[in-house]
């Protein structure tokens, strides 16, 4: 306890003086995407990392020294598919099933308890996407997990377009069979076919409009269509949520059909379609590898998760990122990485799969995801190796500022 | 000039009003609050043609001869309270449920001058209010200015625009159902106006809002809603007033930075302590605020705020000058300065002490509730009589 | 029995826990309260008695002291020793003990701690009791729990509150008087059952007077059959006494006949089977001395198989119990109790008085007297018992009645059943019958003295003007919050009542002395007077002003809230 206090006290000073240099010494540093440093030194100045290196790294004069012997420092974790961050219902616009232009950022509630929980568990940035109730939900963004102003928390806006396969987009819809139609839930799609049809129609119209606009008369602007056209042009990556084998194949097929780049989100059945995934050269977001079954609203999608999936993806060389995803049974992100490691993924790769790999995928690796000079000082001091089940995030730093580790 | 039409009508129909309005009145009381920071002890106010013609301690010679004297003795006189936003409990009539986006609807069309709540207003010290479209629509419409008193009602139909990001606006069985949907609806509408695509009466209203000629009141309660409202205000240059704003303490720096104002809901003692202390915090931060909601509890809200740390001066401002300014009527309402409307309320003591009882309310120089000193009370609903000592 | 003992002890300890917390550290010996007069005259330094444990003395000096019971004292002083006020007066005229802690508020205003005559002390719906159960028991458990707004009452200056279970039942149980503390509440010992609540209203949702009639009549009918109940009880008491006498005779006869040891064996089997096991049910008679912790548990104990006798508890009836104890302890292993055909009495059908006769006859012939039968207890009915106490004037009846017809029914109840002490709660529609209420000496507790606080169905009632109307007619009026969430509102409501026409001093009395009188605790609190508890509220301005801040709250002389 007293050691913990000695760790925390200088932080309080550090926040008072923004330009203050703080040096973390003696820890084992896992920089992310680079070999570990046994007796490492991390120099933080003004919210950014000034230097990372071994014990020989020069310590600036007047710097506050934090002794981290026996600790492990990793980059702040990045959850590339995060459930929460907004009030329930605010991430699903039920007025329409295809809403490509809606921004999850607009619903972000910095006070959301899920953010606080993630933060306390060492997650410093999350990829917040619209919910899974729409066929095409809208635009995702990456935000830091601490802050009061969404604009200040934002790392990158419009990083993804969420498309959802499977049963969720049709889950509560009712077909119009006469009677009073006084609910917006009387609508398509009510089947998986309908979901696919809606996706295809949206892209088809976008593509048609794109081809037309090359001609003399530009089509009238449509903000949703413009977003889809960005996907078609390759300026924006689609994140297709597809859990079961069937849905993953569909996702790959539509992407190939319209020629856009996609990431497969959730992908519990990836072990069945590894060949296709490899051939399509897609990245896989593996949601909650610790879960023995898919729980929550997607439970009836029919996916059959296996503990060995992560190792299989690693062995086959399919790029993957570990997330918590939509599964309500998901553990903390670091525990999911631990789980993957215990099921055969190399420890370094497991850590990378929650730090530098998602950062690269989301296009934010220039700011966070690894410990390197010039990057944001987002890092976590762990009591043990983060893949040790006893590991606790003793202190979590976002932009150099410690955030409350507990609660 | 439209607002004086009802006055003329009133004078025509009521002999009492005709007498009162025609003759000058010299008002006298132990303490007259001209404005929250200008208090006259043993002052005089000369009322002429429904307006304040003179304020001071000396009686002008010309008035001495002609004016009728009204001396409230030991009582307090304060400017009439202004309610910057209310639906008078008629939300259903003030939100078009079928459509989420109706910026060009006018609340004036829903104002019934014989509505009971309206007739009760003078008893609660409210002399002017803005009847606003309710929070059920993402863009609700345009608020109306109403003056209390029996024969007059709507005196302006073209006040501010109301928008809503509150939960109410996205709970109907129609799009939008989410905060991001509501935000997107507004953003695309404003974008459309900016790029010139949007046309028609609704676009005209939005354009005025973006040009700053029309205030924008946004219903927003929690952190996410308030942030979204502030974003909209910043991106489109709106003159922003946040309505409800129960969690305004969380966006305090942004409120200050964007010079947004706040209309708080009715304060009730059972609210969270943070909410009860919010007025005091806003006052310290310099955010202009006033109270909206239930007119009956307007004075009680201010008194509760005082109990939870608000200074009396700011509390009185929140009842008078701030709301008048938010309605762009600070030249005529919210004070008893020369040229302002002769709207005032008489209490037995400081209105911010709940032990002070209401004595009388005057609107446009005419007694509309309570009594004149030494005279029988103006006929009013029987329940009211018991409330006056 | 030995097995049961710890359980009983635990139970008692658990029940007593909140009570024990009442007199913690600083004042360890509150029992020896000196007569107030002596204390005023003789400060402890002059007291020649040596080694007497000295209790802390707190002196409050303030610009104005409002004792409520008398005129305001400018530049006043309140002296509190231990938990009681020992002196009160102008500064300079009251002797201040030299080692006293002096708290000075040169511009402050001192009031007695406020008394909230109706609160819920944050008891939530989960603990709301039905009509039959006892609010005090439920509250004791709940009040021990801590919530995040637990100091809300103390910081609002409330030092005493009456807490009743909110229940829709007609008889809603008995309320307790609690003392709000810095952390949580304690129940006021001896006032765990301070009143019986009766809900004589359908609430705002019962729209038509005719719909309400059955319920109103049911309330009057509640008091039917009380006489029978009382008779059954007194009969039972008599029978018990008789039983005691006869059993003693029975034992004596055997003792005489068989010398010391023999009758034990015979009697032992009997004693094992019936009497010790049933000896308990006479414990919860209302007038009996309470057992451990001063609390009684209703319902008694189940009969025990291992009839070891009440070895742990010396009960109040010495002769019988001592004899039984002797019997029960001495002879060890006599496992099968002898069924004695001669003594196999036919008790079930016979009332005890009847089967006592043969015993008397037996004695005359000097034959072995028949072993008397344990008289069967009449059925338990806590509600009736409580109603009996109400009728006897031991317990005030608090009747919640809103509308005029409900209030009239309450008055009818008072008339027809001669209720000695009645208090009306939430009598919103009482304005028209103020005189009728005053004539009967009924007190009124008003909540919601706040404009717009009543539901729409009660639109016709003016809650703000009501206190003034009742006061003018001479009704004792207390203003109460009704909910702990509104603790802060108590003084605002008093201010509202002033706006409604209530004189300011009456408004102050309505949140201090009047509720204390209605609760029957005016001897201990409710005003600043020598001999009362040191319940003191210090504000920086007159209490009824909106911006008055609570600076200090003392309860029994201990600070429960202090502004930083």
């Amino acid at each position: 306890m007293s050691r913990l206090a000695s760790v925390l006290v200088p932080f309080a000073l550090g926040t008072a003086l923004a330009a203050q240099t703080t040096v973390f010494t003696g820890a084992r540093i896992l920089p992310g995407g680079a070999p570990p440093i046994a007796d490492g030194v991390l120099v933080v100045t003004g919210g950014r990392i000034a230097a990372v290196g071994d014990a020989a790294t020069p310590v600036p004069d007047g710097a506050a020294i934090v002794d981290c012997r026996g600790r492990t420092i990793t980059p702040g974790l990045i959850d590339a598919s995060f459930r929460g961050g907004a009030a329930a219902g605010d991430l699903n616009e039920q007025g329409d099933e295809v809403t490509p232009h809606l921004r999850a950022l607009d619903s972000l509630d910095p006070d959301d308890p899920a953010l606080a929980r993630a933060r306390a568990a060492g997650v410093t940035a999350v990829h917040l996407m619209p919910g899974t109730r729409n066929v095409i939900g809208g635009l995702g963004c990456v935000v830091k997990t601490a802050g009061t102003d969404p604009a200040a928390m934002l790392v990158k806006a419009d990083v993804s377009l969420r498309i959802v396969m499977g049963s969720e987009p049709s889950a509560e819809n009712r077909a119009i069979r006469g009677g009073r139609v006084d609910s917006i839930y009387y609508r398509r799609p009510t089947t998986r076919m309908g979901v696919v049809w809606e996706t295809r129609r949206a892209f088809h119209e976008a593509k048609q409009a794109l081809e037309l606009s090359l001609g003399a008369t530009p089509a009238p602007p449509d903000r949703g269509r413009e977003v889809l056209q960005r996907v078609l042009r390759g300026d924006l990556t689609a994140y297709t949520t597809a859990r079961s084998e069937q849905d993953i194949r569909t996702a790959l097929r539509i992407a190939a059909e319209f020629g856009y780049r996609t990431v497969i989100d959730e992908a519990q059945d990836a072990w069945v379609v590894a060949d296709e995934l490899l051939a399509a050269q897609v990245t896989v977001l593996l949601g909650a590898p610790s879960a023995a079954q898919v729980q929550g609203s997607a439970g009836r999608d029919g996916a059959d998760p296996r503990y060995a999936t992560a190792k299989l993806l690693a062995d086959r060389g399919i790029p993957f990122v570990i997330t918590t995803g939509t599964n309500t049974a998901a553990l903390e992100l670091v525990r999911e990485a631990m789980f993957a490691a215990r099921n055969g993924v190399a420890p370094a790769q497991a850590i990378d799969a929650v730090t530098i790999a998602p950062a690269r995928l989301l296009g934010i690796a220039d700011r966070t995801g690894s410990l390197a000079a010039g990057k944001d000082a987002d890092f976590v001091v762990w009591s043990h190796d983060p893949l040790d089940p006893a590991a606790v995030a003793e202190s979590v730093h976002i932009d150099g500022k410690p955030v409350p580790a507990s609660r | 000039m439209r607002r004086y039409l009802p006055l003329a009508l009133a004078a025509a129909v009521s002999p009492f009003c005709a007498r009162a309005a025609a003759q000058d009145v010299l008002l006298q009381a132990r303490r007259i609050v001209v404005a929250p920071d200008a208090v006259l002890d043993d002052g005089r106010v000369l009322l002429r043609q429904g307006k304040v013609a003179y304020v001071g301690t000396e009686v002008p010679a010309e008035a001495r001869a002609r004016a009728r004297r009204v001396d409230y003795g030991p009582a307090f006189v304060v400017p009439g309270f202004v309610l910057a936003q209310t639906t008078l409990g008629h939300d259903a009539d003030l939100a078009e449920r079928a459509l989420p986006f109706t910026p060009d609807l006018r609340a004036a069309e829903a104002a019934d001058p014989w509505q009971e709540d309206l007739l009760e207003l003078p008893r609660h010290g409210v002399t002017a209010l803005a009847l606003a479209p309710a929070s059920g629509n993402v863009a609700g419409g345009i608020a109306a200015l109403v003056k209390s008193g029996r024969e007059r009602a709507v005196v302006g139909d073209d006040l501010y625009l109301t928008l809503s990001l509150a939960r109410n606006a996205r709970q109907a069985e129609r799009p939008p159902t989410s905060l991001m949907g509501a935000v997107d609806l507004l953003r695309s509408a404003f974008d459309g106006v900016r790029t010139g695509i949007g046309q028609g009466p609704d676009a005209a209203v939005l354009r005025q809002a973006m040009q700053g000629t029309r205030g924008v009141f946004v219903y927003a309660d929690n952190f996410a809603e308030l942030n979204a409202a502030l974003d909209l205000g910043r991106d489109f240059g709106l003159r922003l007033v946040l309505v409800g704003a129960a969690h305004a303490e969380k966006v305090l720096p942004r409120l200050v930075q964007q010079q947004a104002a706040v209309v708080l809901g009715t304060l009730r003692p059972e609210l969270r302590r943070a909410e009860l202390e919010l007025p005091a915090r806003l006052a310290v931060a310099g955010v202009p605020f006033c109270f909206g909601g239930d007119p009956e509890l307007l004075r009680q809200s201010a008194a509760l705020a005082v109990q939870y740390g608000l200074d009396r001066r700011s509390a009185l401002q929140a009842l008078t000058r701030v709301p008048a300014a938010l309605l762009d009527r600070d030249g005529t309402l919210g004070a008893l300065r020369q040229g302002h409307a002769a709207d005032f309320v008489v209490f037995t003591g400081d209105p911010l002490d709940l032990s002070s009882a209401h004595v009388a309310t005057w609107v446009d120089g005419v007694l509309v509730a309570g009594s004149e000193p030494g005279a029988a009370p103006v006929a009013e609903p029987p329940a009211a009589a018991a409330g006056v000592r | 029995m030995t097995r049961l003992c710890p359980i009983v002890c635990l139970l008692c300890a658990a029940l007593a826990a909140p009570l024990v917390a009442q007199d913690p550290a600083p004042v360890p010996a509150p029992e020896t309260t000196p007569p107030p007069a002596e204390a005023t005259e003789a400060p402890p330094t002059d007291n020649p008695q040596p080694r007497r444990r000295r209790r802390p003395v707190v002196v409050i000096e303030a610009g104005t002291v409002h004792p409520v019971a008398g005129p305001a004292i400018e530049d006043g002083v309140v002296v509190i020793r231990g938990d009681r006020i020992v002196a009160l007066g102008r500064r300079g005229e009251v002797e201040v003990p030299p080692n006293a802690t002096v708290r000075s508020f040169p511009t402050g205003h001192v009031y007695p701690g406020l008394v909230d005559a109706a609160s819920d002390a944050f008891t939530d719906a989960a603990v709301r009791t039905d009509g039959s159960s006892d609010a005090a028991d439920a509250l004791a458990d709940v009040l021990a729990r801590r919530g995040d707004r637990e100091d809300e009452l103390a910081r609002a200056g409330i030092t005493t509150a009456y807490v009743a279970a909110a229940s829709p039942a007609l008889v809603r149980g008995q309320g307790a008087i609690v003392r709000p503390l810095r952390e949580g509440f304690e129940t006021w010992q001896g006032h765990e059952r301070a009143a019986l609540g009766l809900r004589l209203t359908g609430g705002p949702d019962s729209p038509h007077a005719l719909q309400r009639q059955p319920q109103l009549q049911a309330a009057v009918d509640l008091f039917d059959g009380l006489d029978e109940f009382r008779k059954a009880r007194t009969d039972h008491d008599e029978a018990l006494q008789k039983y005691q006498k006869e059993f003693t005779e029975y034992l004596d006869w055997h003792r005489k006949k068989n010398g010391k040891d023999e009758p034990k064996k015979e009697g032992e089997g009997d004693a094992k089977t019936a009497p010790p096991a049933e000896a308990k049910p006479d414990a919860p008679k209302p007038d009996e001395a309470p057992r451990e912790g001063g609390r009684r548990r209703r319902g008694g104990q189940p009969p025990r198989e291992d009839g070891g006798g009440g070895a742990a508890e010396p009960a109040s009836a010495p002769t019988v119990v001592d004899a039984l104890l002797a019997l029960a302890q001495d002879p060890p292993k006599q496992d099968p109790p002898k069924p004695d055909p001669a003594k196999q009495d036919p008790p079930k059908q016979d009332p005890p008085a009847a089967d006592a006769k043969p015993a008397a006859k037996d004695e005359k012939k000097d034959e072995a007297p028949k072993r008397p039968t344990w008289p069967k207890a009449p059925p338990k009915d806590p509600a009736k018992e409580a109603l009996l106490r109400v009728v006897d004037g031991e317990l005030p009846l608090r009747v919640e009645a809103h509308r005029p017809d409900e209030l009239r029914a309450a008055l009818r109840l008072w008339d027809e059943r001669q209720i000695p002490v009645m208090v009306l709660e939430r009598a919103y529609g009482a304005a028209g019958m103020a005189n009728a209420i005053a004539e009967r000496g009924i007190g009124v507790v008003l909540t919601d003295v706040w404009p717009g606080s009543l539901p729409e169905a009660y639109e016709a009632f003016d809650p703000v003007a009501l206190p003034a109307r009742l006061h003018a007619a001479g009704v004792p009026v207390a203003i109460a919050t009704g909910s702990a969430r509104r603790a802060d509102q108590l003084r605002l409501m008093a201010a509202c009542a002033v706006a409604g026409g209530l004189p300011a001093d009456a408004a102050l009395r309505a949140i201090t002395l009047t509720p204390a009188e209605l609760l029957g605790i005016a001897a201990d609190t409710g005003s600043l007077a020598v001999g009362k508890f040191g319940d003191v509220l210090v504000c920086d301005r007159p209490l009824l002003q909106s911006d008055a801040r609570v600076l200090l709250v003392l309860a029994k002389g201990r600070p429960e809230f202090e502004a930083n």
Side-chain angles (χ1 to χ4, degrees), chain C residues 90-394:
Chain C
R90 282 185 75 89
R91 189 153 58 172
E93 294 172 11
V94 175
E95 203 166 344
V96 173
N99 56 348
T101 315
V102 179
R103 307 293 312 269
S104 192
F105 303 93
T107 60
H109 291 252
V110 176
Y111 298 88
L114 307 185
V115 181
D116 189 351
S119 181
D120 61 1
F122 297 113
T123 52
D124 54 352
V127 301
R128 287 181 183 177
T129 54
D130 61 5
S132 62
S133 63
D134 195 331
D137 282 351
L139 286 171
D141 295 341
V142 175
L143 297 182
R145 243 183 264 158
R146 297 182 50 185
D148 55 344
R149 292 178 77 170
E150 62 204 0
D151 66 337
E152 201 86 333
L153 269 69
R155 68 188 296 165
I158 298 172
T159 54
T160 313
Y162 171 79
V163 181
S167 145
L170 177 61
V171 183
R172 51 164 46 158
Q174 300 170 52
I177 297 180
V178 302
R179 306 268 306 171
L181 303 178
R182 192 184 288 269
E183 293 184 347
F185 303 86
E186 65 181 18
T187 43
W188 186 326
Q189 224 163 343
H191 293 277
E192 296 92 345
R193 291 146 200 223
L196 177 69
L198 210 61
R199 185 174 150 89
L200 211 57
T201 173
D205 301 330
S206 69
H208 201 281
L210 288 179
Q211 288 180 355
R212 300 193 285 269
Q213 280 313 309
Q215 191 189 3
L216 304 187
Q217 189 55 46
V220 179
D221 294 346
L222 264 184
F223 290 80
D224 284 345
L226 273 190
D227 290 343
E228 288 85 343
F229 184 75
R230 189 200 295 277
K231 184 160 183 309
R233 242 178 38 163
T234 46
D235 286 354
H236 179 64
D237 289 351
E238 280 167 19
L240 273 179
Q241 279 174 5
K242 194 162 186 175
Y243 170 82
Q244 175 179 343
K245 191 166 139 271
E246 286 169 5
F247 198 78
T248 319
E249 283 165 4
Y250 166 77
L251 288 177
D252 285 348
W253 187 86
H254 278 286
R255 212 170 266 150
K256 240 182 274 167
K257 192 183 169 202
N258 299 344
K260 266 275 170 191
D261 299 328
E262 230 189 300
K264 278 179 204 156
K265 269 189 183 165
E266 218 177 17
E268 187 266 340
D270 298 323
K272 242 186 181 177
T273 45
E278 283 183 333
K280 290 297 156 39
D282 89 325
K285 275 192 295 176
D287 299 327
E288 200 196 82
R291 290 205 301 272
E292 297 93 316
R295 302 186 56 88
R296 286 174 280 131
R297 194 72 157 157
R298 262 172 211 281
Q301 294 77 15
R304 291 144 206 168
E305 294 129 14
D306 55 342
E313 306 164 25
S316 55
T319 49
V320 181
V321 174
D322 287 353
L324 292 177
L325 283 180
L327 286 176
Q329 280 169 351
D330 280 358
K333 275 133 189 148
Q334 185 85 13
D335 276 343
K338 272 186 217 163
D340 197 339
K343 285 156 197 163
Q344 202 67 357
D345 30 56
K348 294 295 180 275
Q349 64 267 41
D350 284 5
D355 82 321
K357 270 180 191 166
K361 269 181 204 165
D362 291 349
E363 202 181 17
K364 268 178 202 162
K365 295 171 197 165
D366 203 29
E367 285 171 11
K370 194 173 182 183
R371 191 180 142 270
T373 322
W374 182 261
K376 197 181 171 193
K380 291 261 166 247
D381 190 340
K384 281 221 168 90
E385 257 167 60
L387 287 172
L388 265 187
R389 292 188 63 202
V390 166
V391 173
D392 293 345
E394 294 166 20

Side-chain angles (χ1 to χ4, degrees), chain B:
Chain B
M1 285 309 95
R2 203 185 150 139
R3 49 177 299 201
Y4 292 106
L5 187 63
L7 180 63
L9 275 177
V13 292
S14 159
F16 173 78
C17 292
R19 183 177 64 84
Q23 196 179 0
D24 289 1
V25 172
L26 189 64
L27 172 73
Q28 199 172 328
R30 181 166 69 88
R31 175 161 288 195
I32 296 179
V33 179
V34 175
D37 40 11
V39 179
L40 282 179
D41 284 325
D42 281 323
R44 310 275 189 281
V45 177
L46 185 68
L47 317 178
R48 180 175 289 161
Q49 302 292 331
K51 288 192 174 190
V52 176
Y54 167 81
V55 184
T57 47
E58 296 296 315
V59 188
E62 47 113 12
R64 225 175 272 149
R66 290 190 293 145
R68 188 165 59 93
R69 275 176 183 242
V70 174
D71 185 353
Y72 277 105
F76 273 50
V77 173
V78 294
F81 300 155
V82 181
L83 195 52
Q85 175 275 332
T86 184
T87 57
L88 290 176
H90 292 257
D91 288 31
D93 255 357
L94 287 165
E96 179 50 53
R97 286 165 65 169
L99 303 165
F101 189 75
T102 56
D104 49 334
L105 295 195
R106 283 170 196 263
E109 322 280 4
D112 171 6
W114 294 98
Q115 197 179 322
E116 200 173 326
D117 310 84
L118 221 50
L119 302 181
E120 297 256 317
L121 286 173
R123 277 184 51 216
H124 310 308
V126 177
T127 58
L129 63 88
L131 187 67
S135 60
N137 284 3
V138 175
I142 295 166
L145 182 62
V146 176
K147 285 203 86 167
S148 70
R150 239 159 298 160
E151 285 91 0
R152 64 214 70 209
V154 179
V155 295
D157 63 353
D158 206 22
L159 292 180
Y160 52 82
L161 166 71
T162 65
L163 306 177
S164 175
L165 296 173
R167 187 152 287 280
N168 254 355
R170 44 200 159 89
Q171 270 182 334
E173 289 252 312
R174 52 142 175 75
T177 65
S178 62
L179 182 57
M180 60 176 185
V183 170
D184 185 77
L185 178 61
L186 289 175
R187 187 163 278 152
S188 58
F190 279 114
D191 266 339
V193 173
R194 179 178 279 171
T195 54
I197 297 164
Q199 293 296 335
D202 48 352
V205 173
L206 298 188
R207 190 169 300 118
Q208 290 161 350
M210 288 166 71
Q211 287 161 353
T213 55
R214 190 187 291 280
V216 177
F217 280 43
V218 186
Y219 295 95
D221 280 315
N222 66 30
F223 198 4
E225 293 161 7
L226 289 167
N227 257 322
L230 286 163
D231 283 351
L232 281 173
R234 180 194 58 204
D235 295 349
F236 297 103
L238 309 178
R239 266 199 302 143
L240 205 58
V241 180
L242 299 165
V243 185
H247 292 255
E249 80 271 9
K250 294 176 183 167
V251 290
L252 211 48
R254 290 197 72 184
L255 289 174
V256 175
Q257 186 197 340
Q258 291 185 225
Q259 298 182 323
V262 171
V263 180
L264 297 168
T266 302
L267 288 194
R268 294 175 193 280
E270 51 269 29
L271 293 176
R272 298 176 299 128
R273 189 170 280 271
E275 224 166 310
L276 292 167
E277 285 169 354
L278 183 58
R281 296 191 59 182
L282 291 174
V284 170
V287 175
F289 71 94
C290 58
F291 299 99
D294 188 350
E296 190 180 357
L297 293 172
L298 186 60
R299 184 162 75 99
Q300 279 71 16
S301 295
L304 262 180
V306 168
Q307 192 190 358
Y308 284 89
L310 183 66
D311 61 295
R312 285 178 187 252
R313 187 174 157 273
S314 304
L316 201 53
Q317 272 186 343
L319 293 174
T320 55
R321 206 169 65 191
V322 171
L326 294 184
L327 303 182
D328 296 332
R329 293 292 193 278
D330 42 347
T332 54
L333 301 178
L336 278 178
R337 296 193 189 283
Q338 205 163 330
H340 279 61
D343 299 347
F344 59 90
V345 195
V346 188
F347 290 96
T348 55
D350 190 324
L352 295 170
D353 285 327
L354 295 178
S355 49
S356 311
H358 172 253
V359 175
T361 301
W362 293 58
V363 175
D364 291 332
V366 177
L367 179 70
V368 296
S371 59
E372 241 180 78
V378 175
E380 57 181 320
V388 179
R389 265 208 287 186

Side-chain angles (χ1 to χ4, degrees), chain A residues 85 105 107-112 115 119 143-154 398-399 401 403-404, chain B residues 222-228 230-231 234 247-255 257-258 281:
Chain A
L105 182 63
S107 283
L108 174 67
D109 181 359
D111 245 8
D112 190 71
L115 281 177
R119 194 162 66 211
V143 292
K144 298 268 176 94
T145 50
T148 55
D149 180 4
M153 293 162 75
L154 185 66
I398 296 179
D399 294 327
K401 292 197 194 80
V403 295
Chain B
N222 66 30
F223 198 4
E225 293 161 7
L226 289 167
N227 257 322
L230 286 163
D231 283 351
R234 180 194 58 204
H247 292 255
E249 80 271 9
K250 294 176 183 167
V251 290
L252 211 48
R254 290 197 72 184
L255 289 174
Q257 186 197 340
Q258 291 185 225
R281 296 191 59 182

Side-chain angles (χ1 to χ4, degrees), chain A residues 38-160:
Chain A
D39 182 9
V41 171
L42 175 67
V43 183
V44 175
T45 304
R48 286 178 184 273
I49 296 169
V52 185
D54 56 16
T57 308
V59 173
D61 292 338
I65 310 267
V66 182
D67 183 359
C68 292
R69 267 174 297 183
R71 310 283 192 277
T72 303
I73 295 180
T74 67
L77 309 188
I78 298 170
D79 196 340
S81 178
F82 177 72
R83 187 170 56 90
D90 268 343
L91 286 173
N92 288 308
E93 175 50 52
Q94 313 258 310
D96 198 355
E97 50 272 16
V98 177
T99 54
H101 56 293
L102 293 191
R103 289 184 167 88
L105 182 63
D106 285 335
S107 283
L108 174 67
D109 181 359
D111 245 8
D112 190 71
L115 281 177
R117 280 197 298 273
R119 194 162 66 211
V123 177
T124 58
V126 294
H127 178 211
L128 182 67
M129 289 187 280
T132 50
R133 269 291 279 125
N134 279 7
V135 179
I136 299 183
L139 295 160
C141 60
V142 181
V143 292
K144 298 268 176 94
T145 50
T148 55
D149 180 4
M153 293 162 75
L154 185 66
V155 181
K156 195 173 179 189
D158 299 358
V159 293
S160 63

